[in-house]
């Protein structure tokens, strides 16, 4: 019953208030008809385009009575802000650290529920960041994860210095908590402090964001150079070699 003038704009508010950590799907359907009640003369036949048939309503005489615009909506719940994870390493050193992250409120499908207390293992194929998690039975559940940076500049700095791999997953079905165990490798070449976010998404629904900060402290002193004076107002010279690590 909403009237729209030519080129008038209609805003349709959509409210999303998820009760559980799972994907919700719905559609917003806009049905437009002429104000005078007349039909459009275009007739929809069996030979008409499939998309056209799906997006119109047809009167008894075959003419087009209304036009439909269908907007699919997928609602993805996001967990509250998680605890900060700090990865600290001295420059020119290599750190390998196991990090446990808790996903609260996981809602897998009925066929993806292993027994309570079972520990799951992960396919560690490096070609994919979506490992399949299984408890040895036919029940499977997948998690997608990626590192997001605040800017492309930070990404260019950290991409070659940071490595991350999902090793395993542990269930607690009663509390609906899944613990993901990651192996993080950090090998900074110079002092820095950069922030990132680890985004974890469950294929059954739900999104978790874990803030990370990568800190590289000052490196060890390479050497101490002593210059001995040969006398007042006279130059003393010492030589040493520097080797570039790259071209």
């Amino acid at each position: 019953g909403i009237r729209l003038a030519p080129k008038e704009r209609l805003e349709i508010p959509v409210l999303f208030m998820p009760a559980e950590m799972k994907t919700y799907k719905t559609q917003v359907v806009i049905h437009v008809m002429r104000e005078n009640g007349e039909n459009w003369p275009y007739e929809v036949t069996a030979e008409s385009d499939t998309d056209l048939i799906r997006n119109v309503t047809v009167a008894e005489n075959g003419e087009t009575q209304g036009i439909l615009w269908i907007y699919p909506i997928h609602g993805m719940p996001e967990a509250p802000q998680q605890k900060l994870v700090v990865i600290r390493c001295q420059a020119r050193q290599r750190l390998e650290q196991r990090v446990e992250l808790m996903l609260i409120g996981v809602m897998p499908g009925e066929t993806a529920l292993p027994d309570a207390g079972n520990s799951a293992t992960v396919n560690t194929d490096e070609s994919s960041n979506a490992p399949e998690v299984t408890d040895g039975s036919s029940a499977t559940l997948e998690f997608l994860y990626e590192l997001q940076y605040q800017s492309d500049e930070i990404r260019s700095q950290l991409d070659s210095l940071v490595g991350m791999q999902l090793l395993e997953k542990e269930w607690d079905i009663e509390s609906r908590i899944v613990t993901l165990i990651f192996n993080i490798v950090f090998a900074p070449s110079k002092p820095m402090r950069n922030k990132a976010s680890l985004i974890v998404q469950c294929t059954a629904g739900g999104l978790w964001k874990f803030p990370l900060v990568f800190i590289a402290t000052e490196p060890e002193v390479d050497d101490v150079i002593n210059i001995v004076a040969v006398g007042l107002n006279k130059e003393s010279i010492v030589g040493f070699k520097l080797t570039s690590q790259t071209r």
Side-chain angles (χ1 to χ4, degrees), residues 14-31:
V14 177
L15 175 66
F16 180 47
M17 190 171 62
E20 296 176 335
M21 293 293 285
K22 64 180 181 180
T23 301
Y24 295 81
K25 298 181 180 181
T26 186
Q27 291 181 331
V28 173
V29 180
I30 313 299
H31 189 199

Side-chain angles (χ1 to χ4, degrees), residues 52-117:
L52 175 64
I53 296 175
R54 186 174 64 246
N55 291 305
V56 298
T57 53
V58 182
E60 294 181 357
N61 60 1
E63 294 182 341
T64 301
Q65 184 180 42
I67 303 175
L68 300 173
W69 281 269
I70 303 174
Y71 299 90
I73 295 179
H74 292 183
M76 178 67 70
E78 182 176 326
Q81 183 74 23
Q82 305 297 309
K83 184 179 179 180
L84 178 68
V85 178
V86 178
I87 308 296
R88 186 188 302 271
C89 180
Q90 190 176 31
R92 299 208 299 263
Q93 299 294 323
R94 184 181 185 274
L95 172 71
E96 190 165 346
Q97 181 175 331
R98 291 169 64 95
V99 176
E100 295 186 1
L101 303 178
M102 297 177 61
L103 310 183
I104 300 176
V106 177
M107 288 293 296
E110 293 181 0
T111 59
L113 285 175
D115 295 334

Side-chain angles (χ1 to χ4, degrees), residues 7-173:
K7 295 192 176 183
E8 184 179 356
R9 175 178 295 180
L10 173 65
E11 293 187 359
I12 302 176
V14 177
L15 175 66
F16 180 47
M17 190 171 62
E20 296 176 335
M21 293 293 285
K22 64 180 181 180
T23 301
Y24 295 81
K25 298 181 180 181
T26 186
Q27 291 181 331
V28 173
V29 180
I30 313 299
H31 189 199
V32 176
M33 296 178 291
R34 285 183 169 180
E35 185 179 16
N36 58 12
E38 297 180 358
N39 298 327
W40 282 278
Y42 186 87
E43 293 188 6
V44 179
T45 63
E47 290 75 22
S48 299
D49 184 84
T50 304
D51 290 335
L52 175 64
I53 296 175
R54 186 174 64 246
N55 291 305
V56 298
T57 53
V58 182
E60 294 181 357
N61 60 1
E63 294 182 341
T64 301
Q65 184 180 42
I67 303 175
L68 300 173
W69 281 269
I70 303 174
Y71 299 90
I73 295 179
H74 292 183
M76 178 67 70
E78 182 176 326
Q81 183 74 23
Q82 305 297 309
K83 184 179 179 180
L84 178 68
V85 178
V86 178
I87 308 296
R88 186 188 302 271
C89 180
Q90 190 176 31
R92 299 208 299 263
Q93 299 294 323
R94 184 181 185 274
L95 172 71
E96 190 165 346
Q97 181 175 331
R98 291 169 64 95
V99 176
E100 295 186 1
L101 303 178
M102 297 177 61
L103 310 183
I104 300 176
V106 177
M107 288 293 296
E110 293 181 0
T111 59
L113 285 175
D115 295 334
N118 280 4
S119 178
T121 58
V122 173
N123 175 17
T124 57
D125 184 2
E126 293 182 357
S127 64
S128 172
N129 71 338
E132 183 181 89
V133 181
T134 176
D135 66 336
S137 66
S138 60
T140 60
L141 185 65
E142 289 185 350
F143 290 93
L144 309 175
Y145 66 95
E146 66 170 335
L147 274 176
Q148 290 185 355
Y149 303 98
Q150 294 179 324
S151 66
D152 291 337
E153 181 181 358
I154 296 178
R155 176 182 294 276
S156 64
Q157 292 179 10
L158 291 182
D159 256 354
S160 60
L161 307 178
V162 176
M164 177 170 289
Q165 185 180 31
L166 177 57
L167 298 179
E168 59 181 292
K169 174 188 69 69
E170 297 178 355
W171 279 93
D172 187 340
I173 197 171

Side-chain angles (χ1 to χ4, degrees), residues 180-206:
L180 299 183
I181 302 176
F182 286 89
N183 185 56
I184 299 179
V185 177
F186 184 35
S189 58
K190 60 182 180 180
M192 67 174 66
R193 182 187 179 95
N194 286 319
K195 295 180 180 179
S197 294
L198 175 60
I199 311 300
V200 179
Q201 180 179 342
C202 179
T203 53

